[in-house]
Amino acid sequence: MRTIIIAIALLFLGTAYADRDALVIEALVANGSDISKVHEIDFFLDFDNLKQAAVVAQSMESQGFRVKVYENEDQTVTIEAKRFLIPTLDNIHRVSSTLESLTSKYGGSYDGWGTEIVK
């Protein structure tokens, strides 16, 4: 199920972040997740190189995210950042907006978020 929710987040790349966040939350609810409970949210950010990603990863760690940095076969870099929170639209908007600004500042792109179903 986790893959489905992440795929939904990535499917709406052309959709405004606010709309995309709402669609993912709707998909969580439709798949039986209790969005009043804390979820471990996975946020994804992409960069052209490790230098860009390292600066952002360090900033995110200082903000309480658990961060993993992956070098992809095409030499790009993906950050997977995890944080526990209740996936309300306001909470997700706040984090998404912050991550979009941070990645943009360092030449990356915010790729969305996903989570597992929590009953």
Side-chain angles (χ1 to χ4, degrees), residues 16-18 20-22 25 41-45 65 83 85 88-104 110-114:
Y17 286 106
R20 191 169 34 159
D21 292 338
I25 291 170
I41 309 291
D42 298 307
F43 297 94
F44 299 92
L45 304 88
F65 288 92
R83 175 181 270 180
L85 58 91
T88 64
L89 197 52
D90 286 342
N91 287 344
I92 296 294
H93 280 316
R94 186 172 35 258
V95 176
S96 292
S97 177
T98 298
L99 295 180
E100 171 61 23
S101 295
L102 184 61
T103 54
S104 178
Y110 173 60
D111 231 5
W113 62 278

Side-chain angles (χ1 to χ4, degrees), residues 26-117:
E26 287 173 18
L28 284 169
V29 172
N31 284 283
S33 196
D34 182 349
I35 62 167
S36 69
K37 293 182 178 177
V38 173
H39 288 56
E40 183 176 40
I41 309 291
D42 298 307
F43 297 94
F44 299 92
L45 304 88
D46 294 316
F47 296 88
D48 291 333
N49 60 63
L50 189 55
K51 183 178 179 180
Q52 293 169 311
V55 173
V56 173
Q58 184 176 29
S59 175
M60 293 180 76
E61 285 175 337
S62 72
Q63 296 175 44
F65 288 92
R66 289 190 344 260
V67 176
K68 289 185 182 177
V69 178
Y70 301 96
E71 291 187 71
N72 303 310
E73 290 181 14
D74 64 357
Q75 307 306 310
T76 60
V77 178
T78 298
I79 293 175
E80 177 184 9
K82 296 177 181 270
R83 175 181 270 180
F84 287 98
L85 58 91
I86 296 173
T88 64
L89 197 52
D90 286 342
N91 287 344
I92 296 294
H93 280 316
R94 186 172 35 258
V95 176
S96 292
S97 177
T98 298
L99 295 180
E100 171 61 23
S101 295
L102 184 61
T103 54
S104 178
K105 180 178 177 180
Y106 291 97
S109 62
Y110 173 60
D111 231 5
W113 62 278
T115 188
E116 294 183 351
I117 301 300

